[in-house]
PDB file of all heavy atoms in Angstrom:
ATOM      1  N   GLY A   1       0.786  -1.163   0.014  1.00 92.00           N
ATOM      2  CA  GLY A   1      -0.023  -0.041   0.030  1.00 92.00           C
ATOM      3  C   GLY A   1       0.814   1.226   0.035  1.00 92.00           C
ATOM      4  O   GLY A   1       2.052   1.178   0.204  1.00 92.00           O
ATOM      5  N   THR A   2       0.202   2.349  -0.298  1.00 90.00           N
ATOM      6  CA  THR A   2       0.827   3.648  -0.359  1.00 90.00           C
ATOM      7  C   THR A   2       0.297   4.534   0.846  1.00 90.00           C
ATOM      8  O   THR A   2      -0.915   4.543   1.107  1.00 90.00           O
ATOM      9  CB  THR A   2       0.514   4.422  -1.590  1.00 90.00           C
ATOM     10  OG1 THR A   2       0.928   3.554  -2.690  1.00 90.00           O
ATOM     11  CG2 THR A   2       1.213   5.697  -1.732  1.00 90.00           C
ATOM     12  N   VAL A   3       1.262   5.152   1.571  1.00 94.00           N
ATOM     13  CA  VAL A   3       0.843   6.039   2.590  1.00 94.00           C
ATOM     14  C   VAL A   3       0.199   7.309   2.093  1.00 94.00           C
ATOM     15  O   VAL A   3       0.836   8.040   1.321  1.00 94.00           O
ATOM     16  CB  VAL A   3       2.086   6.480   3.530  1.00 94.00           C
ATOM     17  CG1 VAL A   3       1.657   7.398   4.671  1.00 94.00           C
ATOM     18  CG2 VAL A   3       2.754   5.160   4.075  1.00 94.00           C
ATOM     19  N   ALA A   4      -1.101   7.365   2.354  1.00 94.00           N
ATOM     20  CA  ALA A   4      -1.944   8.553   1.794  1.00 94.00           C
ATOM     21  C   ALA A   4      -1.756   9.806   2.690  1.00 94.00           C
ATOM     22  O   ALA A   4      -1.636  10.880   2.151  1.00 94.00           O
ATOM     23  CB  ALA A   4      -3.376   8.063   1.790  1.00 94.00           C
ATOM     24  N   ASN A   5      -1.761   9.588   3.995  1.00 95.00           N
ATOM     25  CA  ASN A   5      -1.505  10.735   4.932  1.00 95.00           C
ATOM     26  C   ASN A   5      -0.999  10.171   6.288  1.00 95.00           C
ATOM     27  O   ASN A   5      -1.185   9.008   6.558  1.00 95.00           O
ATOM     28  CB  ASN A   5      -2.721  11.597   4.969  1.00 95.00           C
ATOM     29  CG  ASN A   5      -4.030  10.818   5.496  1.00 95.00           C
ATOM     30  OD1 ASN A   5      -3.948  10.377   6.625  1.00 95.00           O
ATOM     31  ND2 ASN A   5      -5.039  10.757   4.771  1.00 95.00           N
ATOM     32  N   GLN A   6      -0.584  11.130   7.085  1.00 96.00           N
ATOM     33  CA  GLN A   6      -0.074  10.820   8.369  1.00 96.00           C
ATOM     34  C   GLN A   6      -0.517  11.907   9.396  1.00 96.00           C
ATOM     35  O   GLN A   6      -0.657  13.081   9.065  1.00 96.00           O
ATOM     36  CB  GLN A   6       1.456  10.672   8.378  1.00 96.00           C
ATOM     37  CG  GLN A   6       1.989   9.618   7.578  1.00 96.00           C
ATOM     38  CD  GLN A   6       3.483   9.578   7.600  1.00 96.00           C
ATOM     39  OE1 GLN A   6       4.134  10.577   7.408  1.00 96.00           O
ATOM     40  NE2 GLN A   6       4.104   8.424   8.027  1.00 96.00           N
ATOM     41  N   LYS A   7      -0.517  11.490  10.619  1.00 95.00           N
ATOM     42  CA  LYS A   7      -0.600  12.475  11.752  1.00 95.00           C
ATOM     43  C   LYS A   7       0.103  11.914  12.974  1.00 95.00           C
ATOM     44  O   LYS A   7       0.270  10.625  13.064  1.00 95.00           O
ATOM     45  CB  LYS A   7      -2.131  12.746  12.089  1.00 95.00           C
ATOM     46  CG  LYS A   7      -2.856  11.705  12.577  1.00 95.00           C
ATOM     47  CD  LYS A   7      -4.335  12.158  12.882  1.00 95.00           C
ATOM     48  CE  LYS A   7      -5.184  10.929  13.391  1.00 95.00           C
ATOM     49  NZ  LYS A   7      -6.532  11.332  13.628  1.00 95.00           N
ATOM     50  N   VAL A   8       0.576  12.847  13.726  1.00 93.00           N
ATOM     51  CA  VAL A   8       1.266  12.434  15.055  1.00 93.00           C
ATOM     52  C   VAL A   8       0.288  12.708  16.103  1.00 93.00           C
ATOM     53  O   VAL A   8      -0.328  13.703  16.296  1.00 93.00           O
ATOM     54  CB  VAL A   8       2.553  13.280  15.183  1.00 93.00           C
ATOM     55  CG1 VAL A   8       3.228  12.884  16.509  1.00 93.00           C
ATOM     56  CG2 VAL A   8       3.471  12.921  14.051  1.00 93.00           C
ATOM     57  N   VAL A   9       0.226  11.606  17.049  1.00 93.00           N
ATOM     58  CA  VAL A   9      -0.724  11.748  18.215  1.00 93.00           C
ATOM     59  C   VAL A   9      -0.025  11.312  19.456  1.00 93.00           C
ATOM     60  O   VAL A   9       0.968  10.629  19.379  1.00 93.00           O
ATOM     61  CB  VAL A   9      -2.092  10.847  18.027  1.00 93.00           C
ATOM     62  CG1 VAL A   9      -2.778  11.312  16.729  1.00 93.00           C
ATOM     63  CG2 VAL A   9      -1.707   9.402  17.897  1.00 93.00           C
ATOM     64  N   GLN A  10      -0.604  11.691  20.607  1.00 91.00           N
ATOM     65  CA  GLN A  10      -0.210  11.258  21.866  1.00 91.00           C
ATOM     66  C   GLN A  10      -1.441  10.712  22.534  1.00 91.00           C
ATOM     67  O   GLN A  10      -1.995  11.321  23.445  1.00 91.00           O
ATOM     68  CB  GLN A  10       0.416  12.330  22.726  1.00 91.00           C
ATOM     69  CG  GLN A  10       1.752  12.784  22.223  1.00 91.00           C
ATOM     70  CD  GLN A  10       2.392  13.923  22.967  1.00 91.00           C
ATOM     71  OE1 GLN A  10       1.660  14.728  23.611  1.00 91.00           O
ATOM     72  NE2 GLN A  10       3.775  14.004  22.860  1.00 91.00           N
ATOM     73  N   ASP A  11      -1.910   9.514  22.095  1.00 91.00           N
ATOM     74  CA  ASP A  11      -3.172   8.986  22.469  1.00 91.00           C
ATOM     75  C   ASP A  11      -3.123   7.877  23.557  1.00 91.00           C
ATOM     76  O   ASP A  11      -4.169   7.486  23.971  1.00 91.00           O
ATOM     77  CB  ASP A  11      -4.058   8.575  21.257  1.00 91.00           C
ATOM     78  CG  ASP A  11      -3.341   7.497  20.449  1.00 91.00           C
ATOM     79  OD1 ASP A  11      -2.181   7.133  20.809  1.00 91.00           O
ATOM     80  OD2 ASP A  11      -3.884   7.092  19.432  1.00 91.00           O
ATOM     81  N   ILE A  12      -1.913   7.577  23.903  1.00 90.00           N
ATOM     82  CA  ILE A  12      -1.832   6.525  25.009  1.00 90.00           C
ATOM     83  C   ILE A  12      -1.356   7.181  26.213  1.00 90.00           C
ATOM     84  O   ILE A  12      -1.898   6.892  27.348  1.00 90.00           O
ATOM     85  CB  ILE A  12      -0.885   5.395  24.553  1.00 90.00           C
ATOM     86  CG1 ILE A  12      -1.627   4.602  23.451  1.00 90.00           C
ATOM     87  CG2 ILE A  12      -0.659   4.420  25.816  1.00 90.00           C
ATOM     88  CD1 ILE A  12      -0.842   3.379  22.949  1.00 90.00           C
ATOM     89  N   ASP A  13      -0.447   8.120  26.193  1.00 90.00           N
ATOM     90  CA  ASP A  13       0.010   8.978  27.288  1.00 90.00           C
ATOM     91  C   ASP A  13       0.347  10.346  26.684  1.00 90.00           C
ATOM     92  O   ASP A  13       0.189  10.606  25.601  1.00 90.00           O
ATOM     93  CB  ASP A  13       1.119   8.329  27.999  1.00 90.00           C
ATOM     94  CG  ASP A  13       2.506   8.177  27.180  1.00 90.00           C
ATOM     95  OD1 ASP A  13       2.714   9.013  26.384  1.00 90.00           O
ATOM     96  OD2 ASP A  13       3.127   7.127  27.339  1.00 90.00           O
ATOM     97  N   ASP A  14       0.721  11.233  27.564  1.00 89.00           N
ATOM     98  CA  ASP A  14       1.045  12.625  27.183  1.00 89.00           C
ATOM     99  C   ASP A  14       2.391  12.877  26.734  1.00 89.00           C
ATOM    100  O   ASP A  14       2.771  14.001  26.445  1.00 89.00           O
ATOM    101  CB  ASP A  14       0.621  13.618  28.381  1.00 89.00           C
ATOM    102  CG  ASP A  14      -0.844  13.612  28.677  1.00 89.00           C
ATOM    103  OD1 ASP A  14      -1.620  13.256  27.814  1.00 89.00           O
ATOM    104  OD2 ASP A  14      -1.143  13.997  29.855  1.00 89.00           O
ATOM    105  N   GLU A  15       3.219  11.794  26.652  1.00 87.00           N
ATOM    106  CA  GLU A  15       4.594  12.017  26.279  1.00 87.00           C
ATOM    107  C   GLU A  15       5.115  11.262  25.079  1.00 87.00           C
ATOM    108  O   GLU A  15       5.936  11.686  24.368  1.00 87.00           O
ATOM    109  CB  GLU A  15       5.503  11.552  27.439  1.00 87.00           C
ATOM    110  CG  GLU A  15       5.261  12.381  28.701  1.00 87.00           C
ATOM    111  CD  GLU A  15       6.128  11.870  29.818  1.00 87.00           C
ATOM    112  OE1 GLU A  15       6.981  11.059  29.701  1.00 87.00           O
ATOM    113  OE2 GLU A  15       5.757  12.198  31.021  1.00 87.00           O
ATOM    114  N   THR A  16       4.439  10.157  24.728  1.00 88.00           N
ATOM    115  CA  THR A  16       4.912   9.350  23.646  1.00 88.00           C
ATOM    116  C   THR A  16       4.190   9.696  22.321  1.00 88.00           C
ATOM    117  O   THR A  16       2.901   9.606  22.259  1.00 88.00           O
ATOM    118  CB  THR A  16       4.652   7.827  23.943  1.00 88.00           C
ATOM    119  OG1 THR A  16       5.226   7.523  25.236  1.00 88.00           O
ATOM    120  CG2 THR A  16       5.243   6.931  22.863  1.00 88.00           C
ATOM    121  N   ASP A  17       4.979  10.105  21.378  1.00 89.00           N
ATOM    122  CA  ASP A  17       4.496  10.364  19.991  1.00 89.00           C
ATOM    123  C   ASP A  17       4.234   9.026  19.220  1.00 89.00           C
ATOM    124  O   ASP A  17       5.072   8.122  19.343  1.00 89.00           O
ATOM    125  CB  ASP A  17       5.562  11.158  19.186  1.00 89.00           C
ATOM    126  CG  ASP A  17       5.554  12.614  19.532  1.00 89.00           C
ATOM    127  OD1 ASP A  17       4.630  12.993  20.289  1.00 89.00           O
ATOM    128  OD2 ASP A  17       6.465  13.308  18.956  1.00 89.00           O
ATOM    129  N   PHE A  18       3.148   8.932  18.608  1.00 92.00           N
ATOM    130  CA  PHE A  18       2.846   7.871  17.650  1.00 92.00           C
ATOM    131  C   PHE A  18       2.521   8.446  16.339  1.00 92.00           C
ATOM    132  O   PHE A  18       1.729   9.375  16.294  1.00 92.00           O
ATOM    133  CB  PHE A  18       1.707   6.982  18.096  1.00 92.00           C
ATOM    134  CG  PHE A  18       1.990   6.143  19.393  1.00 92.00           C
ATOM    135  CD1 PHE A  18       1.656   6.642  20.585  1.00 92.00           C
ATOM    136  CD2 PHE A  18       2.501   4.906  19.172  1.00 92.00           C
ATOM    137  CE1 PHE A  18       2.012   5.880  21.730  1.00 92.00           C
ATOM    138  CE2 PHE A  18       2.813   4.122  20.307  1.00 92.00           C
ATOM    139  CZ  PHE A  18       2.515   4.618  21.579  1.00 92.00           C
ATOM    140  N   THR A  19       3.173   7.843  15.324  1.00 94.00           N
ATOM    141  CA  THR A  19       2.764   8.365  13.935  1.00 94.00           C
ATOM    142  C   THR A  19       1.751   7.382  13.307  1.00 94.00           C
ATOM    143  O   THR A  19       1.994   6.186  13.358  1.00 94.00           O
ATOM    144  CB  THR A  19       4.062   8.376  12.991  1.00 94.00           C
ATOM    145  OG1 THR A  19       5.050   9.272  13.523  1.00 94.00           O
ATOM    146  CG2 THR A  19       3.639   8.803  11.598  1.00 94.00           C
ATOM    147  N   LEU A  20       0.574   7.929  13.048  1.00 96.00           N
ATOM    148  CA  LEU A  20      -0.489   7.131  12.356  1.00 96.00           C
ATOM    149  C   LEU A  20      -0.509   7.383  10.948  1.00 96.00           C
ATOM    150  O   LEU A  20      -0.699   8.545  10.473  1.00 96.00           O
ATOM    151  CB  LEU A  20      -1.790   7.577  12.983  1.00 96.00           C
ATOM    152  CG  LEU A  20      -1.996   7.496  14.484  1.00 96.00           C
ATOM    153  CD1 LEU A  20      -3.404   7.858  14.877  1.00 96.00           C
ATOM    154  CD2 LEU A  20      -1.618   6.092  15.010  1.00 96.00           C
ATOM    155  N   SER A  21      -0.168   6.362  10.205  1.00 97.00           N
ATOM    156  CA  SER A  21      -0.203   6.452   8.642  1.00 97.00           C
ATOM    157  C   SER A  21      -1.384   5.813   8.125  1.00 97.00           C
ATOM    158  O   SER A  21      -1.651   4.603   8.437  1.00 97.00           O
ATOM    159  CB  SER A  21       1.045   5.710   8.196  1.00 97.00           C
ATOM    160  OG  SER A  21       2.190   6.374   8.669  1.00 97.00           O
ATOM    161  N   THR A  22      -2.177   6.512   7.447  1.00 97.00           N
ATOM    162  CA  THR A  22      -3.310   5.897   6.666  1.00 97.00           C
ATOM    163  C   THR A  22      -2.670   5.391   5.328  1.00 97.00           C
ATOM    164  O   THR A  22      -2.230   6.083   4.504  1.00 97.00           O
ATOM    165  CB  THR A  22      -4.444   6.921   6.329  1.00 97.00           C
ATOM    166  OG1 THR A  22      -4.848   7.407   7.602  1.00 97.00           O
ATOM    167  CG2 THR A  22      -5.497   6.251   5.662  1.00 97.00           C
ATOM    168  N   VAL A  23      -2.905   3.950   5.181  1.00 96.00           N
ATOM    169  CA  VAL A  23      -2.262   3.275   4.019  1.00 96.00           C
ATOM    170  C   VAL A  23      -3.364   2.855   3.083  1.00 96.00           C
ATOM    171  O   VAL A  23      -4.287   2.171   3.497  1.00 96.00           O
ATOM    172  CB  VAL A  23      -1.413   2.143   4.481  1.00 96.00           C
ATOM    173  CG1 VAL A  23      -0.800   1.402   3.261  1.00 96.00           C
ATOM    174  CG2 VAL A  23      -0.308   2.604   5.394  1.00 96.00           C
ATOM    175  N   LYS A  24      -3.292   3.301   1.852  1.00 93.00           N
ATOM    176  CA  LYS A  24      -4.196   2.906   0.798  1.00 93.00           C
ATOM    177  C   LYS A  24      -3.781   1.584   0.201  1.00 93.00           C
ATOM    178  O   LYS A  24      -2.683   1.532  -0.326  1.00 93.00           O
ATOM    179  CB  LYS A  24      -4.291   3.976  -0.302  1.00 93.00           C
ATOM    180  CG  LYS A  24      -5.360   3.666  -1.393  1.00 93.00           C
ATOM    181  CD  LYS A  24      -5.471   4.725  -2.419  1.00 93.00           C
ATOM    182  CE  LYS A  24      -6.401   4.305  -3.485  1.00 93.00           C
ATOM    183  NZ  LYS A  24      -6.317   5.337  -4.554  1.00 93.00           N
ATOM    184  N   VAL A  25      -4.472   0.466   0.408  1.00 93.00           N
ATOM    185  CA  VAL A  25      -4.081  -0.858   0.011  1.00 93.00           C
ATOM    186  C   VAL A  25      -4.177  -1.033  -1.503  1.00 93.00           C
ATOM    187  O   VAL A  25      -5.295  -0.781  -2.044  1.00 93.00           O
ATOM    188  CB  VAL A  25      -4.933  -1.921   0.829  1.00 93.00           C
ATOM    189  CG1 VAL A  25      -4.538  -3.289   0.411  1.00 93.00           C
ATOM    190  CG2 VAL A  25      -4.867  -1.663   2.274  1.00 93.00           C
ATOM    191  N   ILE A  26      -3.094  -1.581  -2.047  1.00 90.00           N
ATOM    192  CA  ILE A  26      -3.115  -1.862  -3.472  1.00 90.00           C
ATOM    193  C   ILE A  26      -3.445  -3.291  -3.612  1.00 90.00           C
ATOM    194  O   ILE A  26      -4.224  -3.704  -4.455  1.00 90.00           O
ATOM    195  CB  ILE A  26      -1.673  -1.470  -4.080  1.00 90.00           C
ATOM    196  CG1 ILE A  26      -1.461  -0.055  -4.012  1.00 90.00           C
ATOM    197  CG2 ILE A  26      -1.610  -2.058  -5.562  1.00 90.00           C
ATOM    198  CD1 ILE A  26      -0.069   0.360  -4.362  1.00 90.00           C
ATOM    199  N   THR A  27      -2.818  -4.189  -2.801  1.00 89.00           N
ATOM    200  CA  THR A  27      -3.019  -5.668  -2.870  1.00 89.00           C
ATOM    201  C   THR A  27      -2.933  -6.213  -1.407  1.00 89.00           C
ATOM    202  O   THR A  27      -2.085  -5.640  -0.625  1.00 89.00           O
ATOM    203  CB  THR A  27      -2.190  -6.372  -3.812  1.00 89.00           C
ATOM    204  OG1 THR A  27      -2.604  -7.719  -3.976  1.00 89.00           O
ATOM    205  CG2 THR A  27      -0.765  -6.296  -3.446  1.00 89.00           C
ATOM    206  N   THR A  28      -3.594  -7.239  -1.148  1.00 91.00           N
ATOM    207  CA  THR A  28      -3.508  -7.895   0.135  1.00 91.00           C
ATOM    208  C   THR A  28      -2.979  -9.403  -0.130  1.00 91.00           C
ATOM    209  O   THR A  28      -3.472 -10.085  -0.943  1.00 91.00           O
ATOM    210  CB  THR A  28      -4.898  -8.048   0.820  1.00 91.00           C
ATOM    211  OG1 THR A  28      -5.406  -6.709   0.930  1.00 91.00           O
ATOM    212  CG2 THR A  28      -4.800  -8.691   2.156  1.00 91.00           C
ATOM    213  N   LYS A  29      -1.902  -9.643   0.601  1.00 92.00           N
ATOM    214  CA  LYS A  29      -1.338 -11.044   0.468  1.00 92.00           C
ATOM    215  C   LYS A  29      -1.846 -11.993   1.662  1.00 92.00           C
ATOM    216  O   LYS A  29      -1.959 -13.171   1.422  1.00 92.00           O
ATOM    217  CB  LYS A  29       0.188 -10.874   0.598  1.00 92.00           C
ATOM    218  CG  LYS A  29       0.951 -12.179   0.315  1.00 92.00           C
ATOM    219  CD  LYS A  29       0.886 -12.607  -1.158  1.00 92.00           C
ATOM    220  CE  LYS A  29       1.612 -13.901  -1.328  1.00 92.00           C
ATOM    221  NZ  LYS A  29       1.570 -14.304  -2.735  1.00 92.00           N
ATOM    222  N   LYS A  30      -2.201 -11.482   2.736  1.00 95.00           N
ATOM    223  CA  LYS A  30      -2.728 -12.238   3.844  1.00 95.00           C
ATOM    224  C   LYS A  30      -3.668 -11.333   4.660  1.00 95.00           C
ATOM    225  O   LYS A  30      -3.434 -10.203   4.889  1.00 95.00           O
ATOM    226  CB  LYS A  30      -1.610 -12.659   4.774  1.00 95.00           C
ATOM    227  CG  LYS A  30      -2.121 -13.348   5.984  1.00 95.00           C
ATOM    228  CD  LYS A  30      -1.064 -13.820   6.957  1.00 95.00           C
ATOM    229  CE  LYS A  30      -1.598 -14.589   8.186  1.00 95.00           C
ATOM    230  NZ  LYS A  30      -0.538 -14.940   9.170  1.00 95.00           N
ATOM    231  N   GLY A  31      -4.761 -11.870   5.062  1.00 95.00           N
ATOM    232  CA  GLY A  31      -5.785 -11.199   5.912  1.00 95.00           C
ATOM    233  C   GLY A  31      -6.826 -10.478   5.109  1.00 95.00           C
ATOM    234  O   GLY A  31      -6.955 -10.661   3.812  1.00 95.00           O
ATOM    235  N   ASP A  32      -7.557  -9.649   5.740  1.00 92.00           N
ATOM    236  CA  ASP A  32      -8.656  -8.816   5.151  1.00 92.00           C
ATOM    237  C   ASP A  32      -8.424  -7.375   5.449  1.00 92.00           C
ATOM    238  O   ASP A  32      -8.499  -6.936   6.543  1.00 92.00           O
ATOM    239  CB  ASP A  32      -9.981  -9.299   5.598  1.00 92.00           C
ATOM    240  CG  ASP A  32     -11.116  -8.600   5.042  1.00 92.00           C
ATOM    241  OD1 ASP A  32     -10.968  -7.805   4.131  1.00 92.00           O
ATOM    242  OD2 ASP A  32     -12.274  -8.924   5.503  1.00 92.00           O
ATOM    243  N   ALA A  33      -8.147  -6.590   4.372  1.00 90.00           N
ATOM    244  CA  ALA A  33      -7.925  -5.147   4.585  1.00 90.00           C
ATOM    245  C   ALA A  33      -9.275  -4.366   4.624  1.00 90.00           C
ATOM    246  O   ALA A  33      -9.132  -3.090   4.690  1.00 90.00           O
ATOM    247  CB  ALA A  33      -7.046  -4.650   3.444  1.00 90.00           C
ATOM    248  N   GLY A  34     -10.401  -4.972   4.593  1.00 83.00           N
ATOM    249  CA  GLY A  34     -11.665  -4.334   4.859  1.00 83.00           C
ATOM    250  C   GLY A  34     -11.918  -3.267   3.806  1.00 83.00           C
ATOM    251  O   GLY A  34     -12.015  -3.630   2.611  1.00 83.00           O
ATOM    252  N   ASP A  35     -11.986  -2.031   4.147  1.00 80.00           N
ATOM    253  CA  ASP A  35     -12.322  -0.924   3.227  1.00 80.00           C
ATOM    254  C   ASP A  35     -11.206  -0.482   2.350  1.00 80.00           C
ATOM    255  O   ASP A  35     -11.310   0.532   1.746  1.00 80.00           O
ATOM    256  CB  ASP A  35     -12.995   0.210   3.950  1.00 80.00           C
ATOM    257  CG  ASP A  35     -12.052   0.923   4.902  1.00 80.00           C
ATOM    258  OD1 ASP A  35     -10.829   0.498   4.999  1.00 80.00           O
ATOM    259  OD2 ASP A  35     -12.433   1.923   5.601  1.00 80.00           O
ATOM    260  N   LYS A  36     -10.178  -1.167   2.326  1.00 90.00           N
ATOM    261  CA  LYS A  36      -8.999  -0.857   1.462  1.00 90.00           C
ATOM    262  C   LYS A  36      -8.118   0.247   2.013  1.00 90.00           C
ATOM    263  O   LYS A  36      -7.307   0.784   1.218  1.00 90.00           O
ATOM    264  CB  LYS A  36      -9.332  -0.707  -0.025  1.00 90.00           C
ATOM    265  CG  LYS A  36      -9.999  -1.914  -0.693  1.00 90.00           C
ATOM    266  CD  LYS A  36      -8.838  -2.885  -0.768  1.00 90.00           C
ATOM    267  CE  LYS A  36      -9.308  -4.191  -1.584  1.00 90.00           C
ATOM    268  NZ  LYS A  36      -8.309  -5.139  -1.738  1.00 90.00           N
ATOM    269  N   THR A  37      -8.314   0.621   3.146  1.00 95.00           N
ATOM    270  CA  THR A  37      -7.323   1.485   3.883  1.00 95.00           C
ATOM    271  C   THR A  37      -7.111   0.881   5.287  1.00 95.00           C
ATOM    272  O   THR A  37      -7.980   0.343   5.894  1.00 95.00           O
ATOM    273  CB  THR A  37      -7.735   2.979   4.031  1.00 95.00           C
ATOM    274  OG1 THR A  37      -8.958   3.035   4.804  1.00 95.00           O
ATOM    275  CG2 THR A  37      -7.933   3.595   2.672  1.00 95.00           C
ATOM    276  N   VAL A  38      -5.871   0.962   5.776  1.00 97.00           N
ATOM    277  CA  VAL A  38      -5.545   0.565   7.058  1.00 97.00           C
ATOM    278  C   VAL A  38      -4.728   1.714   7.730  1.00 97.00           C
ATOM    279  O   VAL A  38      -4.083   2.416   7.108  1.00 97.00           O
ATOM    280  CB  VAL A  38      -4.818  -0.749   7.193  1.00 97.00           C
ATOM    281  CG1 VAL A  38      -5.655  -1.978   6.574  1.00 97.00           C
ATOM    282  CG2 VAL A  38      -3.516  -0.606   6.446  1.00 97.00           C
ATOM    283  N   VAL A  39      -4.834   1.823   9.061  1.00 97.00           N
ATOM    284  CA  VAL A  39      -4.080   2.753   9.821  1.00 97.00           C
ATOM    285  C   VAL A  39      -2.954   1.957  10.518  1.00 97.00           C
ATOM    286  O   VAL A  39      -3.226   1.043  11.249  1.00 97.00           O
ATOM    287  CB  VAL A  39      -4.956   3.463  10.848  1.00 97.00           C
ATOM    288  CG1 VAL A  39      -4.045   4.464  11.655  1.00 97.00           C
ATOM    289  CG2 VAL A  39      -5.988   4.345  10.129  1.00 97.00           C
ATOM    290  N   VAL A  40      -1.717   2.355  10.247  1.00 97.00           N
ATOM    291  CA  VAL A  40      -0.549   1.763  10.848  1.00 97.00           C
ATOM    292  C   VAL A  40       0.017   2.748  11.913  1.00 97.00           C
ATOM    293  O   VAL A  40       0.417   3.882  11.657  1.00 97.00           O
ATOM    294  CB  VAL A  40       0.571   1.436   9.753  1.00 97.00           C
ATOM    295  CG1 VAL A  40       1.695   0.784  10.411  1.00 97.00           C
ATOM    296  CG2 VAL A  40      -0.064   0.556   8.740  1.00 97.00           C
ATOM    297  N   ARG A  41       0.229   2.168  13.146  1.00 96.00           N
ATOM    298  CA  ARG A  41       0.826   2.918  14.193  1.00 96.00           C
ATOM    299  C   ARG A  41       2.396   2.669  14.340  1.00 96.00           C
ATOM    300  O   ARG A  41       2.758   1.491  14.278  1.00 96.00           O
ATOM    301  CB  ARG A  41       0.249   2.455  15.567  1.00 96.00           C
ATOM    302  CG  ARG A  41      -1.217   2.715  15.806  1.00 96.00           C
ATOM    303  CD  ARG A  41      -1.639   2.230  17.178  1.00 96.00           C
ATOM    304  NE  ARG A  41      -1.045   3.005  18.278  1.00 96.00           N
ATOM    305  CZ  ARG A  41      -1.574   4.125  18.737  1.00 96.00           C
ATOM    306  NH1 ARG A  41      -2.691   4.691  18.198  1.00 96.00           N
ATOM    307  NH2 ARG A  41      -0.956   4.789  19.741  1.00 96.00           N
ATOM    308  N   GLN A  42       3.068   3.721  14.351  1.00 93.00           N
ATOM    309  CA  GLN A  42       4.557   3.563  14.701  1.00 93.00           C
ATOM    310  C   GLN A  42       4.940   4.415  15.846  1.00 93.00           C
ATOM    311  O   GLN A  42       4.536   5.511  15.932  1.00 93.00           O
ATOM    312  CB  GLN A  42       5.414   3.919  13.462  1.00 93.00           C
ATOM    313  CG  GLN A  42       5.262   3.035  12.234  1.00 93.00           C
ATOM    314  CD  GLN A  42       6.120   3.432  11.103  1.00 93.00           C
ATOM    315  OE1 GLN A  42       5.723   4.337  10.349  1.00 93.00           O
ATOM    316  NE2 GLN A  42       7.210   2.812  10.998  1.00 93.00           N
ATOM    317  N   THR A  43       5.697   3.857  16.757  1.00 89.00           N
ATOM    318  CA  THR A  43       6.162   4.652  17.867  1.00 89.00           C
ATOM    319  C   THR A  43       7.204   5.673  17.421  1.00 89.00           C
ATOM    320  O   THR A  43       8.096   5.361  16.662  1.00 89.00           O
ATOM    321  CB  THR A  43       6.875   3.712  18.967  1.00 89.00           C
ATOM    322  OG1 THR A  43       5.879   2.685  19.340  1.00 89.00           O
ATOM    323  CG2 THR A  43       7.220   4.469  20.180  1.00 89.00           C
ATOM    324  N   GLY A  44       6.928   6.901  17.803  1.00 86.00           N
ATOM    325  CA  GLY A  44       7.872   7.965  17.431  1.00 86.00           C
ATOM    326  C   GLY A  44       7.244   8.802  16.359  1.00 86.00           C
ATOM    327  O   GLY A  44       6.125   8.601  15.880  1.00 86.00           O
ATOM    328  N   SER A  45       8.061   9.775  15.955  1.00 86.00           N
ATOM    329  CA  SER A  45       7.596  10.749  14.907  1.00 86.00           C
ATOM    330  C   SER A  45       8.897  11.216  14.189  1.00 86.00           C
ATOM    331  O   SER A  45      10.053  10.988  14.741  1.00 86.00           O
ATOM    332  CB  SER A  45       6.802  11.893  15.349  1.00 86.00           C
ATOM    333  OG  SER A  45       7.672  12.733  16.225  1.00 86.00           O
ATOM    334  N   THR A  46       8.781  12.046  13.195  1.00 79.00           N
ATOM    335  CA  THR A  46       9.975  12.494  12.521  1.00 79.00           C
ATOM    336  C   THR A  46      10.693  13.481  13.467  1.00 79.00           C
ATOM    337  O   THR A  46      11.835  13.729  13.360  1.00 79.00           O
ATOM    338  CB  THR A  46       9.678  13.185  11.223  1.00 79.00           C
ATOM    339  OG1 THR A  46       8.683  14.200  11.406  1.00 79.00           O
ATOM    340  CG2 THR A  46       9.212  12.157  10.085  1.00 79.00           C
TER     341      THR A  46
END
């Protein structure tokens, strides 16, 4: 998939940044991507 947009949140505590990437799915090899977009959480930010 391709990262369509991103935002940085502190939604678990007030100190830890998480980058949330909305990924537009091109193809699925395993599982069910549902509506063809998924949100991927990564600890940290740029």
